Amino acid sequence: MNTSLIILNILIMAFFIFIIYKMQKKHVSFSKRVFLALGLGIVFGAVLQFIYGSDSEVLKQSVNWFNIVGNGYVRLLKMIVMPLIMVSITTAIINLEDGKSLGKFGGYVIGFLVLTAGIAAVVGVFTAVSFGLSAEGLQAGQAELARGEVLQSGLENLNKVPLTQRLTELIPDNPFLDMTGARSSSTIAVVIFSAFVGISVLGLKRKKPDIAEKFRVGFNVLHDVVMRMVTIILRLTPFGVLALMTKVTALSDYQSIVRLGKFVLASYVAIIIMFIIHLIFLMIFGLNPKHYLKKSLPVLTFAFTSRTSAGTIPLNIEAQTKKLGVSEAIANLSASFGASIGQNGCAAIYPAMLAVMIAPTQGINPLNPSFLIPLIVIIVISSFGVAGVGGGATFAALIVLSAMDLPVALVGLLISIEPLIDMGRTALNVSGSMLSGILSSRVLKQLDLDLYNKEVIEEDV
């Protein structure tokens, strides 16, 4: 009987996939397909949990089959991330007339990422204070207690690695290892290695122009091949969103969400406030936020459902270059750096809120400048190298709480609602990386304003 129900659920999912496929064949816009997939996933997942219950074996086995589509799509994106960064950064540099501009590009991108991370930390602090959030009185269950013990053990290992070493590890010593994504800082390491390759080719132009030109032509061909692969994979986005959103709503622990509802609400208020600040930044720099909203929503939707900033890099770059008018070099730098540096949601808002909740239990006033200023500085510094995948926020929180000499038990307590909040945080992370690319291009006069302001974008996927 259970097998029949699982097969029925799979057939329903297959029917939804077929509907989206037919829409693609009829050239229905990419955005409409993504949002339909999001809506179907929410409804289907909620219905499945209502019928079977979150602990049902039928539901778990059904989701395992759905994961072939959802997790399979995320794996394809991760497959293409490192080759995309490698060829895009290298190609962008070797096609530059002046290699000196690369440092300026990277400086502005990192500067905007760090600036928005600092602002996000402040938003997290004052949101937590405004909601009166506190770690006092929160009760932990067996799962949370177990997670707290694991985190405490992890924290002890983390404390053995000084901040200076973590910053040093951003520099690659084995680029081929980093091409596999083996380290949390692998994305930045590949960017650095690719930059060295590109700069080397620019230097070769003066001594051996023929060889440099052959390399440039060959790498441009490789770039076109990789970009074609990206286009093929991006066409699968609506199917991935459907499966991922179904999984989230089907397996969410709604009782825990209600129990910790105040923290969930405060988290999303902080995320929304920071997103509004992103739009204000666009207006300050003379850009219409409406165009950004319309063109970034499919990317942010995928980030929301997948909970992976790193996996969203291909969509991020595609949206920046083809829809928002950002130069290719800056788009690649902002998307790549933004997956590991200055994450507004995971590395800034979340640790700030936890620190504010824990501080009173240690007899500390969270608004005291002697606590607040070091907290913001530590959050900004520790945002370098945070993994751009689900769970990166936990790593960031451990670093910040440890540096502020605060206990980490609260991180384990929030395990049950982590996925729900992480969805919004990841979308904010990606928005922050896109914003850094747009503003950097604007300041450096590399932004194609005609493309940015274009109302209707022809669908390329």
Side-chain angles (χ1 to χ4, degrees):
M1 182 62 178
N2 283 354
T3 302
S4 300
L5 293 174
I6 294 170
I7 293 174
L8 175 62
N9 295 335
I10 294 172
L11 290 175
I12 294 173
M13 173 62 75
F15 175 69
F16 290 151
I17 291 174
F18 178 75
I19 290 175
I20 295 172
Y21 171 76
K22 294 298 291 184
M23 292 175 67
Q24 179 176 312
K25 285 297 183 181
K26 293 181 178 179
H27 304 290
V28 175
S29 75
F30 180 72
S31 298
K32 290 180 180 178
R33 283 182 276 133
V34 168
F35 286 115
L36 174 65
L38 179 67
L40 287 174
I42 291 173
V43 173
F44 187 39
V47 170
L48 287 177
Q49 181 168 144
F50 177 77
I51 294 174
Y52 301 108
S54 59
D55 294 328
S56 166
E57 191 64 28
V58 172
L59 181 59
K60 292 178 180 178
Q61 290 299 320
S62 298
V63 169
N64 285 341
W65 284 98
F66 301 162
N67 281 341
I68 296 176
V69 177
N71 292 348
Y73 175 64
V74 173
R75 290 176 70 90
L76 286 175
L77 282 173
K78 290 181 178 179
M79 173 192 76
I80 201 66
V81 164
M82 292 305 181
L84 174 62
I85 293 172
M86 175 74 180
V87 301
S88 297
I89 295 291
T90 304
T91 303
I93 294 172
I94 62 179
N95 288 327
L96 288 174
E97 293 295 329
D98 179 16
K100 295 180 181 179
S101 58
L102 177 65
K104 189 181 295 184
F105 290 172
Y108 272 100
V109 166
I110 293 175
F112 280 118
L113 286 170
V114 170
L115 173 62
T116 54
I119 295 173
V122 175
V123 169
V125 167
F126 284 96
T127 302
V129 170
S130 299
F131 274 79
L133 297 181
S134 174
E136 294 178 346
L138 290 178
Q139 299 297 318
Q142 291 299 318
E144 290 86 352
L145 290 171
R147 175 64 178 269
E149 293 175 0
V150 172
L151 291 177
Q152 189 65 49
S153 175
L155 179 60
E156 292 172 359
N157 294 328
L158 185 63
N159 286 335
K160 297 176 183 178
V161 183
L163 178 61
T164 52
Q165 182 177 333
R166 291 200 294 270
L167 292 176
T168 303
E169 288 178 351
L170 297 177
I171 302 172
D173 61 354
N174 184 346
F176 299 102
L177 175 66
D178 286 316
M179 285 291 289
T180 68
R183 302 186 301 137
S184 63
S185 57
S186 286
T187 302
I188 296 177
V190 171
V191 171
I192 294 173
F193 175 72
S194 303
F196 269 100
V197 173
I199 292 170
S200 299
V201 175
L202 291 179
L204 201 61
K205 278 185 178 181
R206 295 189 295 270
K207 296 183 177 181
K208 298 181 179 180
D210 293 342
I211 293 178
E213 180 60 21
K214 289 179 181 177
F215 185 93
R216 189 187 70 81
V217 172
F219 228 82
N220 282 335
V221 171
L222 180 60
H223 175 265
D224 290 343
V225 172
V226 171
M227 291 309 297
R228 183 58 187 169
M229 290 175 62
V230 171
T231 299
I232 293 171
I233 293 171
L234 293 188
R235 287 176 177 168
L236 303 174
T237 301
F239 308 113
V241 168
L242 169 64
L244 290 168
M245 201 66 226
T246 301
K247 174 184 177 180
V248 168
T249 53
L251 298 181
S252 290
D253 185 349
Y254 294 107
Q255 290 183 345
S256 294
I257 292 171
V258 172
R259 181 167 61 92
L260 297 171
K262 191 175 181 181
F263 181 79
V264 174
L265 178 60
S267 296
Y268 271 93
V269 167
I271 289 168
I272 292 170
I273 290 173
M274 194 60 210
F275 189 74
I276 292 172
I277 291 174
H278 287 179
L279 302 182
I280 292 173
F281 264 108
L282 292 171
M283 290 189 287
I284 291 173
F285 282 81
L287 299 171
N288 189 333
K290 181 181 70 173
H291 299 310
Y292 171 74
L293 282 171
K294 291 174 66 175
K295 298 171 185 179
S296 67
L297 270 178
V299 181
L300 300 181
T301 299
F302 175 73
F304 183 83
T305 55
S306 66
R307 297 170 54 211
T308 166
S309 300
T312 311
I313 287 176
L315 289 87
N316 188 336
I317 294 173
E318 190 265 350
Q320 287 194 59
T321 55
K322 295 185 179 180
K323 298 182 179 182
L324 293 165
V326 178
S327 68
E328 188 167 333
I330 294 176
N332 280 277
L333 286 172
S334 64
S336 304
F337 282 144
S340 300
I341 294 176
Q343 294 183 354
N344 290 187
C346 292
I349 286 179
Y350 184 61
M353 294 182 70
L354 294 188
V356 168
M357 292 175 68
I358 295 171
T361 67
Q362 306 298 305
I364 300 171
N365 177 4
L367 295 182
N368 190 315
S370 63
F371 175 83
L372 186 58
I373 294 174
L375 173 64
I376 295 171
V377 172
I378 288 170
I379 285 174
V380 169
I381 295 174
S382 65
S383 71
F384 284 73
V386 173
V389 295
T394 299
F395 179 71
L398 288 175
I399 295 174
V400 172
L401 295 179
S402 172
M404 295 297 294
D405 197 25
L406 296 172
V408 301
L410 184 63
V411 182
L413 178 61
L414 299 174
I415 180 176
S416 55
I417 58 171
E418 176 72 12
L420 176 64
I421 303 173
D422 200 39
M423 295 165 72
R425 290 192 308 239
T426 305
L428 183 64
N429 294 342
V430 174
S431 178
S433 73
M434 296 179 76
L435 180 74
S436 70
I438 295 169
L439 298 186
S440 297
S441 287
R442 179 64 163 161
V443 171
L444 296 168
K445 298 181 180 179
Q446 299 282 322
L447 188 67
D448 184 344
L449 286 173
D450 290 335
L451 182 56
Y452 181 91
N453 292 320
K454 189 176 181 182
E455 286 286 350
V456 181
I457 301 295
E458 295 296 328
E459 297 293 344
D460 296 312
V461 291

